[in-house]
Amino acid sequence: MFLGHLLPFFNNSGVLLTKARRTLRNNREPFAITVGGSTIYVLTMPKDVAEAYRNTTSLSFDIFVQVMMRNLGSSAQSVKAMFSPMPTEKDGFPNPHEKPLGRLARELHTTQLYPGEHLSILDDKFIESFGDQLDLEKMAETNYAARDEKGGVTVPLLKWSSDVFTRAGQVAYFGDLLGVIDPNLTWTFLEFDDLSWQVLFQYPRIVSRRMHAARERLTVALEKYFSVPAEDRGEQAWFTHAMEHEMRTVGISTHDIATMMTTIYWGINTNTRKASFWMLAYLIENPQLLARIRRETEPAFTAGALSVDYLKDSCPLLDDVWNETLRHSAYSASVRHITEDTVIGGKTLRKGNRLMIPYRQLHFDEGVFGEDAQNFEPARFEKNPKLLRSASWRPFGGGITMCPGRYVAKESVAIFIAIALRRFDMEFVKGQVFPQGAEGTPVLGIMNIQDGQDPLVKITPRQS
C-alpha cells in the first residue's frame, strides 16, 4: 500500500495541511494529499468553500453518512431504508418532496433545535439540570472531586464539564429512564467519545476494540430504552419520539433504532461538553475577563430565575467570548465524496475521491482575522462584527449540512457559564498549565485536550 501522507496526517493533520498550503506559497488554491493510497482534495480559500457548499449534485454528503452508519454498526437493511425515498402520504412528519429519512432527519433536527417552542423546552431542561448539578455538596460526592477544607472542591475541569453536560443532554433528550437503565451510561459515552476518532479514521475493529465495546454498551442501553412502550418512558424530547416514529414507519428494527440513536447521543454531547470546558478555561485564565462576564450575566437572574432571552439579547461580551472560543477550538472538517469530475478554484477534482474543508485553516487566516489570529482575543468580534458573516467563519459548517445544533449549543453553554459564575469562585490550582488542544485527533466539532492535561480547578462558594 502507498502510504503517502498517511503518517503525518494521522499524527497532526492540521500541521500537515498548513505545511502543504505554505509550500504552495500560501495562495490557498485547492491542493491534494495522498492518505493510504486515497486522494483527498483540500479547500482553504473561502470562495472555493462557498462553491463547494452550493454544489449538491456532484459532491455528496450522503455517502459519508452511510459509511459512518455502517462503521457504527447499522445493518445494511437500515442504511438502505434510511436512504430510500419515503411516500408523501404517510403519518408523522410532513414529507411533500419524498425525501428519504436520511435527509428528512435534518428537518426533524431543525424543528427541535431552531428557536421556538421545542428549543425553549430543552433550555428549561438544561437550566433545571445545571441548577441541580452545580451544587458543591453534590460535586464533592463525585469520584473525581476533592473536598476543600473551606467548603469548596477541586475538580479536573474537562472531566467535570463533561460529566455535567453529558448528564444534562441525556436527560433533555431521553428523560430519566435511560439513567435508570444504566446509571453509568454517561461514563460509557465519555470512554467512547474519547476514542471516537477511530470511527472517523475507519480503524479496523481489531485495533479499536475499546471504542467498539463502549459503543455497544451505549447501544444495549438504548435498545432497552426503545423496547419500553413510549407511554411508559416518561418525558423525552420531541425529536426522540418523532425520529423513532419515522424509523419504525420505514421498517427499521428496534436494534437499528438504538444504533442510530447512539449516533444522536454522540452528536448531542460531544461538542457542548468540550466547548464549555474551553470557554470556562479561557475565562479562568483571564480573571478580569471572567469578572466582566459575571457582571454582564448577573442581570439575567430575576428572583433566582434565569432568563435565556437576556443571555441571548443583552450579553454582547458573552457572545464575543463564545465566538472566539469556537474560533480557537473548532477542529472538524467537512467531507464530501466526489461523484463526478468537478471544477473548483480552477482545479479539476476527480470522481471517486474525497473533498475536505478543514475549518481551522479558515479560522486562523491572518488575512481575515488579523495578524494576531493565533491569540485569544474576543474583542476582534466587537471591533469587526462582519467577521461573523465572513466566508472564513465556519464553526458549524455550511450549506445544507450546517449543524442545526448551533443554537442549543450556544444557549446551553451560556446557561452553564452564567449559573457557575453566579454560584462559584474558580481558579486554577497553583502550578497548573493551560491545556493544549489535541490537534492531531479528528473530531466532529470541538477539539479535545492533549492526554494528561486536564487542569485542576479550585471551586469555592461565591463571595459577594
Side-chain angles (χ1 to χ4, degrees):
M1 177 186 291
F2 176 63
L3 296 179
H5 301 102
L6 179 68
L7 296 180
F9 184 82
F10 278 14
N11 184 50
N12 193 324
S13 59
V15 170
L16 172 65
L17 297 178
T18 298
K19 183 178 180 180
R21 195 190 73 231
R22 289 174 176 169
T23 299
L24 298 171
R25 299 178 182 178
N26 215 28
N27 60 17
R28 293 190 174 269
E29 291 182 357
F31 62 89
I33 59 175
T34 301
V35 178
S38 299
T39 296
I40 301 176
Y41 298 101
V42 181
L43 302 184
T44 65
M45 185 176 289
K47 71 178 183 64
D48 295 339
V49 171
E51 184 177 350
Y53 280 133
R54 289 193 296 269
N55 185 331
T56 58
T57 54
S58 63
L59 301 179
S60 171
F61 185 66
D62 286 355
I63 295 173
F64 172 76
V65 173
Q66 291 170 32
V67 170
M68 286 281 290
M69 288 174 62
R70 288 192 289 270
N71 289 343
L72 286 166
S74 292
S75 68
Q77 295 89 337
S78 69
V79 174
K80 181 179 180 180
M82 286 290 292
F83 286 91
S84 297
M86 297 176 73
T88 57
E89 299 297 328
K90 67 173 188 64
D91 293 335
F93 196 81
N95 188 25
H97 303 295
E98 295 186 344
K99 291 182 179 181
L101 182 53
R103 295 182 182 176
L104 188 66
R106 176 175 175 80
E107 296 183 25
L108 272 71
H109 279 300
T110 57
T111 300
Q112 173 70 72
L113 298 172
Y114 275 32
E117 177 187 0
H118 296 306
L119 177 56
S120 294
I121 293 173
L122 287 185
D123 284 341
D124 289 342
K125 292 293 183 184
F126 281 112
I127 291 172
E128 180 181 0
S129 182
F130 295 154
D132 179 61
Q133 293 190 73
L134 298 187
D135 175 272
L136 286 172
E137 285 301 315
K138 291 184 178 179
M139 291 161 60
E141 293 173 359
T142 63
N143 62 6
Y144 53 81
R147 190 183 293 270
D148 184 271
E149 68 277 3
K150 295 181 180 180
V153 297
T154 297
V155 297
L157 184 58
L158 179 59
K159 181 171 283 189
W160 175 52
S161 63
S162 297
D163 182 19
V164 170
F165 264 86
T166 305
R167 290 180 189 279
Q170 176 176 299
V171 171
Y173 266 75
F174 302 100
D176 295 326
L177 178 59
L178 195 52
V180 173
I181 290 171
D182 186 345
N184 295 315
L185 196 63
T186 55
W187 297 109
T188 296
F189 165 74
L190 293 173
E191 181 181 358
F192 163 76
D193 197 30
D194 284 342
L195 297 170
S196 62
W197 56 272
Q198 296 173 353
V199 178
L200 301 175
F201 271 155
Q202 300 179 35
Y203 262 42
R205 192 180 185 96
I206 193 171
V207 292
S208 56
R209 288 173 176 165
R210 279 188 58 216
M211 179 273 291
H212 280 290
R215 177 194 60 77
E216 287 165 2
R217 293 199 301 274
L218 283 168
T219 302
V220 166
L222 283 162
E223 185 168 4
K224 291 178 180 177
Y225 176 88
F226 284 106
S227 296
V228 174
E231 60 272 18
D232 295 334
R233 293 179 202 155
E235 289 186 302
Q236 59 183 2
W238 173 88
F239 174 88
T240 305
H241 173 76
M243 189 66 186
E244 178 191 7
H245 175 83
E246 298 297 331
M247 287 191 283
R248 294 199 186 280
T249 296
V250 297
I252 295 177
S253 69
T254 299
H255 177 74
D256 275 319
I257 288 173
T259 302
M260 209 82 65
M261 295 304 282
T262 299
T263 308
I264 301 301
Y265 192 110
W266 186 18
I268 294 166
N269 294 307
T270 186
N271 289 320
T272 51
R273 72 179 183 94
K274 289 177 283 190
S276 63
F277 159 78
W278 284 113
M279 189 166 175
L280 199 49
Y282 282 117
L283 291 176
I284 296 171
E285 178 77 356
N286 187 334
Q288 291 182 333
L289 182 60
L290 185 151
R292 292 173 62 197
I293 292 291
R294 179 180 279 137
R295 287 194 298 269
E296 185 180 66
T297 57
E298 180 60 33
F301 294 89
T302 304
L306 175 59
S307 168
V308 177
D309 287 339
Y310 188 93
L311 295 178
K312 290 190 298 182
D313 302 334
S314 303
C315 296
L317 181 58
L318 186 69
D319 284 348
D320 292 343
V321 174
W322 167 251
N323 291 327
E324 186 71 344
T325 298
L326 291 181
R327 192 180 71 82
H328 274 262
S329 62
Y331 197 74
S332 62
S334 190
V335 177
R336 299 290 187 273
H337 285 257
I338 304 167
T339 60
E340 299 291 341
D341 285 358
T342 302
V343 176
I344 293 180
K347 307 291 184 180
T348 299
L349 316 184
R350 297 299 181 185
K351 174 183 177 180
N353 295 308
R354 284 178 289 172
L355 171 69
M356 183 170 71
I357 304 169
Y359 303 142
R360 194 167 182 81
Q361 295 291 314
L362 299 172
H363 291 166
F364 284 82
D365 185 344
E366 293 181 356
V368 177
F369 292 99
E371 294 181 358
D372 65 344
Q374 296 295 324
N375 298 338
F376 186 84
E377 183 50 71
R380 76 178 75 249
F381 290 98
E382 178 187 7
K383 295 173 183 176
N384 186 5
K386 291 182 180 179
L387 288 174
L388 296 176
R389 299 191 293 275
S390 166
S392 291
W393 177 243
R394 300 284 185 182
F396 294 100
I400 61 173
T401 59
M402 180 177 285
C403 178
R406 58 192 182 276
Y407 300 105
V408 71
K410 179 180 180 180
E411 292 171 19
S412 61
V413 172
I415 291 166
F416 173 77
I417 295 291
I419 295 175
L421 295 190
R422 189 169 196 253
R423 294 185 179 183
F424 308 135
D425 286 320
M426 289 172 280
E427 62 181 354
F428 287 128
V429 171
K430 186 177 180 179
Q432 297 296 293
V433 176
F434 194 86
Q436 300 298 306
E439 295 191 21
T441 304
V443 290
L444 289 183
I446 304 298
M447 67 179 174
N448 211 327
I449 60 173
Q450 292 185 13
D451 289 344
Q453 292 197 6
D454 194 353
L456 293 176
V457 172
K458 184 177 180 180
I459 303 176
T460 54
R462 174 82 183 117
Q463 301 297 315
S464 58

